[in-house]
Amino acid sequence: MNQKLSDLDPGDKSTDIGDERIRRHDALLALQAALENEARVEREATEATAAAASTAMWLGASLADLASVTGRTRQAARKRWPTLGEIHRRRVWLGNHVDEIKWAVSVVLASEAEIELPDRGMFEELRTLSVAVEADFDESAVQQDSEPARRWLELARLLDEVLRGIVDAATPTTGQAEFAVFGAKGVIGYYDLASNKQDSDSALA
């Protein structure tokens, strides 16, 4: 907590010459501002470094890769960025199940008219995001975005937020729709199981 301005003026000193008391007070104020700026810069640098590590993991890097950059061990990277294990598990699972996610989305959309939802706008969100993901995962796709890992983040959102939101709220009205919802729930359940299991150093290598 910042000191009160009055606390930053220690009063006259026996060796003061001229206006040194005022200058000293101004210097102490400048020091206080510099310390606050230093803390802000350090905080922003820490956040930027964590974001860069997260992006690298979304793009398929391992803790061993991060260790080669930081000059420290994988365990040190894990301790510094504790969320990387979850990101790694999610990224690996998503990378190995792109087709299954597309299938789950397609069967739900194919049964859209036979699925009751409190908010049917969710289907449009699913359809729009699905088209974007389809384009992003075309082998010839080249991203020009400022977010290098956008395709993976959108794939995760497609499955973990939008599709999950639909099947959790869905009321199928036909057998085919029930099959679609059940199948999509199965894919989501598999994702949950894989992404939340305990990781290890070997799994992140």
Side-chain angles (χ1 to χ4, degrees):
M1 180 179 295
N2 294 343
Q3 287 182 294
K4 295 183 297 183
L5 297 185
S6 59
D7 295 336
L8 295 175
D9 182 2
D12 293 322
K13 303 288 186 179
S14 61
T15 58
D16 283 348
I17 298 176
D19 62 351
E20 283 193 337
R21 176 176 176 177
I22 296 174
R23 290 176 180 270
R24 180 169 56 252
H25 181 246
D26 291 344
L28 289 171
L29 287 175
L31 173 60
Q32 183 182 62
L35 288 170
E36 292 172 351
N37 187 57
E38 179 182 52
R40 177 185 58 78
V41 170
E42 289 179 352
R43 183 173 62 254
E44 291 176 353
T46 297
E47 292 171 354
T49 303
S54 174
T55 296
M57 293 296 280
W58 275 113
L59 289 169
S62 66
L63 283 181
D65 297 325
L66 267 60
S68 69
V69 173
T70 62
R72 299 184 179 182
T73 64
R74 290 176 295 173
Q75 290 84 352
R78 183 202 298 274
K79 183 176 180 179
R80 181 173 181 181
W81 301 298
T83 62
L84 294 188
E86 178 187 350
I87 292 173
H88 174 82
R89 293 190 296 272
R90 293 173 67 190
R91 168 62 173 82
V92 169
W93 190 93
L94 291 168
N96 289 322
H97 297 88
V98 175
D99 289 340
E100 287 91 331
I101 296 170
K102 291 180 179 179
W103 171 84
V105 170
S106 68
V107 295
V108 167
L109 287 175
S111 298
E112 176 180 351
E114 300 157 353
I115 297 174
E116 294 180 354
L117 275 183
D119 178 10
R120 299 200 65 78
M122 297 172 71
F123 282 120
E124 187 57 34
E125 184 179 8
L126 180 67
R127 185 178 296 102
T128 300
L129 189 55
S130 175
V131 170
V133 165
E134 186 71 38
D136 282 341
F137 281 86
D138 185 291
E139 285 296 328
S140 62
V142 177
Q143 289 187 296
Q144 302 297 328
D145 312 69
S146 58
E147 172 52 75
R150 182 180 63 84
R151 62 164 55 95
W152 294 104
L153 296 172
E154 288 203 342
L155 183 64
R157 188 166 77 87
L158 176 66
L159 177 69
D160 200 14
E161 296 179 25
V162 183
L163 186 61
R164 185 193 298 275
I166 287 175
V167 298
D168 283 350
T171 302
T173 60
T174 67
Q176 184 64 30
E178 187 173 1
F179 168 80
V181 171
F182 179 79
K185 284 183 175 181
V187 174
I188 293 170
Y190 187 15
Y191 165 80
D192 289 344
L193 180 65
S195 61
N196 290 316
K197 67 182 180 181
Q198 186 66 33
D199 64 326
S200 64
D201 283 339
S202 60
L204 288 164

